[in-house]
Amino acid sequence: MGDRRFPPVLLVHGVCSTGQTMSVLADAFLSRDCHVVAPTLVPKRRTDVGATDGSLARLTLAELLDEAQDHVRAIRRNFDQKPVVVGHSNGALHALALAGMDEASAVGLVAPAPPPSVPGAPVWLRRMLFSR
């Protein structure tokens, strides 16, 4: 279960990634005996169909944040403490939002980036996700 001296860790991936993309970070925390949760958010949309029919591109911040919050609630039930939330890319926005809701004991931001739906998102990102 991990060392109770350290809070559990929730790793939140970016919009085009999965929990597996956080494996290097997960391994680093696990090597320190931390309990790590690295889910794939909204997994039903992360299929070949989701990529080709555009449903992955229509994921909203609210949908992703709701699911990340569900994982925080499960961690709090199981460990009776707030997790450290580490977010990569778009997941960094969720880490900040969870901290703003007092759901995280600390946050780590790895290459933070806005989703393509946020004004000012890079053109290459919007084209990559919305060109289909």
Side-chain angles (χ1 to χ4, degrees):
M1 273 284 187
D3 190 329
R4 293 284 175 133
R5 292 180 302 153
F6 301 113
V9 178
L10 174 63
L11 301 176
V12 183
H13 61 78
V15 70
C16 291
S17 301
T18 65
Q20 181 62 34
T21 61
M22 304 296 279
S23 64
V24 172
L25 284 173
D27 291 345
F29 283 110
L30 289 168
S31 74
R32 301 286 188 235
D33 293 325
C34 293
H35 179 82
V36 178
V37 176
T40 294
L41 300 179
V42 195
K44 290 180 181 177
R45 299 243 196 128
R46 295 176 190 285
T47 64
D48 289 342
V49 172
T52 57
D53 75 0
S55 64
L56 180 60
R58 290 189 298 275
L59 277 174
T60 66
L61 284 174
E63 287 176 279
L64 293 165
L65 184 58
D66 285 347
E67 195 155 324
Q69 252 187 309
D70 289 344
H71 289 285
V72 168
R73 288 184 193 111
I75 290 168
R76 291 185 77 174
R77 272 192 311 273
N78 292 327
F79 293 92
D80 198 30
Q81 59 182 313
K82 298 174 192 174
V84 170
V85 181
V86 178
H88 171 254
S89 187
N90 173 256
L93 294 177
H94 304 302
L96 287 173
L98 291 166
M101 294 184 289
D102 198 31
E103 294 280 4
S105 61
V107 296
L109 310 177
V110 180
S117 59
V118 171
V123 172
W124 66 265
L125 183 60
R126 285 184 274 142
R127 284 185 181 148
M128 180 179 78
L129 293 177
F130 294 111
S131 65
R132 296 175 193 231

